[in-house]
Amino acid sequence: MIKKLSLISLFTLMPASFYFAQTTVFAYVKDQDGKPIEKAEVDLAQSTGDTSVDKIGYFQFVDLKPGHYLITVTKPNFESKILEFDVAADEKRKDLGVITLNYNLGSDAGVIVIDDSANDTEDGGSSMQPTVGLLSSGRDAFQNVSAFELGAYWFRPRGVDNRFEDVLFNGVSMSKNDDGKVDFNNWGGLNDVTRYPYENVDNITPSEYTFGNLGGAVYYNTRASSYRKQTSLAYSFTNRSYLHRAIATYSSGLSKSGWAFTFSASRRWGDRAILDGVYQDAYAYFASIEKKFSDRHSLNLTAFGSPTYRASNAPNTQEVYDLMGKNYNSYWGWQDGEKRNSRIRNVYEPVFMLTDYLKIGKNSNWTNTVSYQFGSDARSRLDWFHAADPNPTYYRKLPSYGLLTADEFRQQSQIDWNYLYNTNRINKFEMDGITSRGASYTLIDDVNKDKTFNFSSHFDTKLKDNWKLNVNFNYQNLKSDNFRRINDLLGADYANNLNPFNNDVRYNLDDTNTRVRVGDRTQYSYQLTRNHYSLNVSTEIDFKKWNVVASIFASQSESYRNGDYRSGIAQFTNNSKGKSAVYNALDAGIKGKITYKINGKNFIVYNGAFFSLAPTLNEIYINPRVSDFLTPGVKNQIINSNDISYIMRGQILKLRLSGYYTTISNSTELARYYAAVSTDSGSYNTLINEAMSGADKRYMGAELGFDVKITPTINAIGVASVGEYKFTNTPQVYSVDDLNGFRSYGAANIKDYKVAGTPQKAFSFGLKYNSPKYWWVGASANYLMDQYLDFSALNKTAAMYTIPDSGGLIYDGATPEVIQQLTAQKKFDDQFMLNANAGKSFQFGKYRVGVSISVNNILNNRNYVTGGFEQGRAANFTDALAESQRATPYFGPKLWYDRGRTFFTNVYLRF
């Protein structure tokens, strides 16, 4: 009896594993060539403990109970694979064999050529020029099509521009402090080493390495050993913003002695692209050297830079395009038989980083990076002193003004460099032939010389198998030297550092010597300093049916201006030289993500974010070139954003359907332009620094992206983005200028005006054939809708139609209907674009050769306006009414048109 009871007790107390044999499931992950794929992610749908593939391609799951399971294997640059299997009760080990991931063959065909030359002009405010989103392939159909198909036409997902995106290298943000935007020029041409991010989160999804913003974050890990061991050589030919590109990249892999090296270099050059007078010569280099001291400790040195010399293209009015065609560019002219562009951007800002990787215990990692970036960004343009505007498209030179016929305009439609040189030679001396005179025309550079020190620290740990914690700390110190200098005297002996638009007062009252020569500073010189501290903590908990991510941050920044010149303009004399007061800003925010796992293929995902965003340096100071005056009404932006998605990850169908709602409050937008302004003492033509403060915006819409495998080799990819991005209040408008100082214009009546710079609706459908013999061909049809012109805020205020010094009386004829007509926002026509791409790769032993070609806008549609802005020059009712009544306005909107049919061909050799 006792024995029977003992046996019963023994069986009762035994763990359930005795009754059900638990199984170890394992497999190897390899590419098409049979080589192991390291660090592929393996997601087991029925478990909270996912895993990754080791160096030999092996992974395993232990102690699986009998049942039906589903795993998803993913790796950047490879097509993901879903595998279902059953575990029987009597299996101790289950071998899934080799899981082969196919190359994403189209990855080299969709390379986006970064071209932001439209941002190199001062003809409008920075917010008025087209921008592009993060230039990287996303993880689903919508993000891929947005980047590579629609992105080529300046489409911005959810209407969010570059200001709200972030790119990090080893934890260091690449966003600029002056305008908050990412300058891709700093690593342009380094496609081989920046093609595959370590982390890529979309929109407001929380990141492990940063709190992020509205437009997502891309994190690059430049650790030398993380790059695949190989040598790659590539050559590209295109007609977009350059003609030729050559890239060479070498990665050694990790040696037995613990060293790893990755080097890359490239050049992009050419001067006969589609637009007239546009040329480029850009080099790039990248070096990453790692020393692995032990399995727990490595040190990595990274250096990269991209010295770039690039000519810009001008926006034009419709009158100019009708006369000269869509390829016309007014920024250049002939000199000694060669094309010379007056708007050259010459930028070189190298980055040096030292990163320490430390593994602590079994579950923790601590990564620290110190970086230093320096260099200059110079943008040239013509300047004139008591002389006529040399711009060929100056409104008095247009046929609509009546001084020149259309043929006469065409004959002098480019910059006449010989005339500029001859004018300077003639004007070298006064009538006495002895007293020298300064230049009538000069070529000047607007220069930013930044020195940026960063410290970034990232700590992550697994508190439990399903619970992860991340801590990020960042410090940045920026010292930005901003000035104008003489680039070329164009045959003159010197230039005068005097203000010709304000009675020739000295730009610098403390310097009686007003003669400046090549390399000298002129007109303005000041420094901006900013110290920024931020702390971000995030955590992720994974349950069987739920995944929860939470992220919080706090930051503090200190900014101030230090002027070198004491201005001769009375309004600014006492606020131009020396150190300003410190502008302090505090930020905080929270993000969250909740995923409900319906099953291994279907998910519901919610993201939410609420945070503040400190103003950039450009937003803090309304006219930093002259004074330290703060922008009236400048505040931290308050951002509230939510989205919800249904996601399907099937073997046949991959789909995401999302809805989003975002509000931005207290935004500040600045612009600089010449305007005819009515004041109590008369009407003046002057350079206006305009600020629109306290603007509220709303972004709402829905996104659909799907990728369906029609056959094993044919995929259909579709995207639909339906959005509405508009202003929801009437913000205040202010200006400051040399003649009137500060002015307040009251509220801008822009409620329900649309946010410009992107189509608000976009659709794409494509087919792609992937051959088992390593070639592919694809085509996509793209339809873009609801593109709007950016507006001048000053023209939308009551001051535009109110008689100065009249107690609020309005001009005769300024009826509500007329005012509506004068202030209505222009909407551009909807457009259709057709793209195609094809390619093939070959294997010859250890050598892989690939060729690809992509063609955008096959139908050569030249009617698509990629961006534009309303000129603010006619800023009073009389001029605005006269403009509206002209068949061809003098000051019509300035526009950029799509370049039409473009192609990009690429060939590479890898071994």
Side-chain angles (χ1 to χ4, degrees), residues 310-373:
R310 187 184 68 237
S312 303
N313 63 285
N316 295 297
T317 62
Q318 190 59 52
E319 177 185 8
V320 173
Y321 284 121
D322 290 342
L323 288 165
M324 303 300 300
K326 301 290 174 56
N327 294 339
Y328 172 68
N329 179 13
S330 64
Y331 285 163
W332 69 274
W334 293 100
Q335 182 181 353
D336 298 331
E338 295 185 1
K339 291 181 179 180
R340 182 179 182 183
N341 195 306
S342 64
R343 298 288 185 108
I344 301 293
R345 186 176 182 190
N346 198 339
V347 56
Y348 178 41
E349 298 176 308
V351 178
F352 297 89
M353 293 180 166
L354 186 64
T355 304
D356 183 79
Y357 300 91
L358 183 64
K359 185 171 183 63
I360 303 173
K362 185 178 179 181
N363 297 316
S364 302
N365 300 282
W366 190 20
T367 303
N368 294 283
T369 298
V370 292
S371 76
Y372 183 65
Q373 182 177 17

Side-chain angles (χ1 to χ4, degrees), residues 602-619:
N602 298 273
F603 308 85
I604 302 292
V605 180
Y606 165 78
N607 287 286
F610 183 78
F611 59 96
S612 62
L613 192 64
T616 64
L617 289 169
N618 280 1
E619 293 166 344

Side-chain angles (χ1 to χ4, degrees), residues 707-749:
D707 185 339
V708 57
K709 190 175 288 294
I710 300 174
T711 72
T713 57
I714 298 177
N715 285 54
I717 303 100
V719 157
S721 176
V722 179
E724 182 188 64
Y725 323 134
K726 68 180 185 179
F727 291 84
T728 58
N729 72 334
T730 55
Q732 297 295 306
V733 178
Y734 308 88
S735 74
V736 61
D737 64 77
D738 294 357
L739 300 177
N740 305 293
F742 268 109
R743 291 198 70 204
S744 174
Y745 295 88
N749 298 308

Side-chain angles (χ1 to χ4, degrees), residues 524-535:
Y524 70 88
S525 178
Y526 65 95
Q527 291 79 45
L528 294 173
T529 301
R530 187 181 184 107
N531 289 296
H532 183 259
Y533 311 81
S534 67
L535 178 66

